[in-house]
Amino acid sequence: MTNAIGQTMEVLTSTDTFSLPDKRTRKKWTGPWWHMATLFEMGEAKQIPESTATRALELIKQGAWPKFVISGEDAPKSDADKTKMDCCHCELGVFYQILSACGCDVDSELPWMREWFLKHQLPDGGLNCTPSAYNHSQKSSIVSTLPPLEAILFCTKRTFTPDEEKFLDEGARYLIEHRLVRSKKEGSVINKEWLKPLFPRFFEYDILRGLFFIVEWSKRREKPLPTELIEEGLEQLKSYIEDSAIVIGRQVYDSNGDWGGDTFALLNEVSEVEKISPYLTKELNTVLAAN
């Protein structure tokens, strides 16, 4: 682990390697953003150098198009703007949390980001990174929804505004109505891979991520905990729980999965399948304590 973190530090302190993620595929895990995200999910954002966080913040300020392109009116017009990164909801939710954990004042530096989350909530309570959903189905994606919800819930250091309260409560409703992993209409599990605990997650979803959010939402918003749903979720996780610890069930970069790609030492070190994850276990213990 020490060697792996050392290699990550070499990447993060190198001034010529930092770049925005590959905007065409999002499948490249060797970039500095993913090193930062891994440390963040480990609870080790304090190890990210301040200079790295500053460069990351500046790259978003200068290199990201601050609008979700649903129609031609949202699209960049100038040649310079057309070269900018076209972001999505889950991506920005992750970036927001990383930068906030590094001590950046994201709302002052990137005021459009929080507004982006609140603006793109659909009537069902979630969000969707597929632009056509806003013109046609009006149906959300659980994967697209969680990071923005987390960004608002976990990174707001003041009293929530009425709009933020609505955003969080409607997002929680969306997850509860979908039983964390199920189709609201048919009741079937949308993606059975979501039943396998995953670390680190980056943009991806698993049922423990949903459970932890609902527990924290209930506590921070002083809302009733849906205990039946929590018990159902824990039952679905039972085969991955060993002595109140969570065993990793899959990897985000599985070559057979949606997010295949190159990896790095720290990512490999903390993501081994069938090994207990101390980081996921902390979330599990929070869920167990609440229930």
Side-chain angles (χ1 to χ4, degrees):
M1 178 68 80
T2 300
N3 289 337
I5 290 179
Q7 291 179 39
T8 281
M9 288 300 110
E10 289 181 12
V11 171
L12 295 181
T13 54
S14 176
T15 58
D16 61 352
T17 61
F18 203 101
S19 63
L20 290 167
D22 183 338
K23 66 180 182 180
R24 294 168 299 166
T25 67
R26 310 298 207 282
K27 292 184 180 180
K28 190 167 77 174
W29 303 114
T30 51
W33 276 111
W34 314 123
H35 290 268
M36 293 172 70
T38 303
L39 287 170
F40 163 70
E41 291 193 48
M42 292 169 63
E44 296 292 339
K46 62 182 181 294
Q47 295 203 46
I48 298 172
E50 183 178 351
S51 60
T52 301
T54 299
R55 292 202 309 275
L57 180 67
E58 193 62 25
L59 278 169
I60 293 293
K61 289 174 70 173
Q62 302 297 328
W65 179 243
K67 294 182 180 180
F68 184 55
V69 180
I70 297 174
S71 67
E73 295 180 358
D74 306 315
K77 302 297 188 297
S78 71
D79 290 340
D81 285 342
K82 288 177 182 179
T83 67
K84 292 183 176 181
M85 179 183 171
D86 55 330
C87 296
C88 63
H89 310 321
C90 57
E91 186 171 41
L92 288 178
V94 170
F95 293 166
Y96 189 108
Q97 293 178 75
I98 295 170
L99 293 172
S100 180
C102 289
C104 298
D105 187 346
V106 185
D107 290 332
S108 292
E109 298 288 347
L110 300 164
W112 55 267
M113 196 177 287
R114 182 177 288 257
E115 294 171 4
W116 175 305
F117 301 145
L118 302 182
K119 178 181 179 179
H120 293 103
Q121 188 169 44
L122 287 161
D124 62 8
L127 297 87
N128 199 319
C129 292
T130 302
S132 61
Y134 290 85
N135 294 323
H136 301 290
S137 71
Q138 297 286 297
K139 291 184 178 180
S140 297
S141 155
I142 293 178
V143 174
S144 302
T145 298
L146 254 291
L149 286 176
E150 293 167 342
I152 298 298
L153 186 68
F154 299 135
C155 303
T156 303
K157 309 304 181 184
R158 51 164 172 72
T159 301
F160 295 119
T161 66
D163 285 345
E164 290 163 354
E165 291 177 343
K166 180 181 178 182
F167 179 77
L168 293 170
D169 294 349
E170 287 293 286
R173 174 181 66 83
Y174 171 76
L175 288 175
I176 292 168
E177 289 181 348
H178 283 80
R179 313 300 294 176
L180 301 173
V181 292
R182 296 184 180 278
S183 164
K184 182 179 176 181
K185 182 178 181 180
E186 300 172 359
S188 57
V189 174
I190 298 170
N191 185 342
K192 292 184 178 180
E193 292 295 294
W194 293 349
L195 302 177
K196 302 175 183 178
L198 171 70
F199 190 89
R201 297 176 177 121
F202 302 120
F203 309 154
E204 187 55 287
Y205 180 76
D206 68 5
I207 191 171
L208 180 59
R209 188 171 189 169
L211 280 167
F212 183 73
F213 173 82
I214 289 296
V215 166
E216 286 295 309
W217 162 78
S218 171
K219 179 171 61 178
R220 298 180 190 219
R221 289 285 297 122
E222 298 182 344
K223 298 291 185 178
L225 184 70
T227 53
E228 182 182 335
L229 177 66
I230 302 302
E231 291 170 359
E232 179 183 329
L234 288 171
E235 179 66 24
Q236 290 169 305
L237 274 174
K238 188 166 62 175
S239 61
Y240 295 97
I241 299 176
E242 296 182 1
D243 298 324
S244 297
I246 279 282
V247 173
I248 295 175
R250 66 182 173 115
Q251 295 171 321
V252 72
Y253 55 88
D254 186 335
S255 59
N256 296 318
D258 294 334
W259 301 97
D262 296 330
T263 65
F264 51 91
L266 184 58
L267 178 56
N268 293 331
E269 185 73 27
V270 298
S271 64
E272 190 173 349
V273 173
E274 298 184 357
K275 296 292 184 180
I276 288 175
S277 170
Y279 317 108
L280 294 182
T281 297
K282 288 182 180 179
E283 289 191 359
L284 173 67
N285 288 338
T286 296
V287 175
L288 291 172
N291 200 44

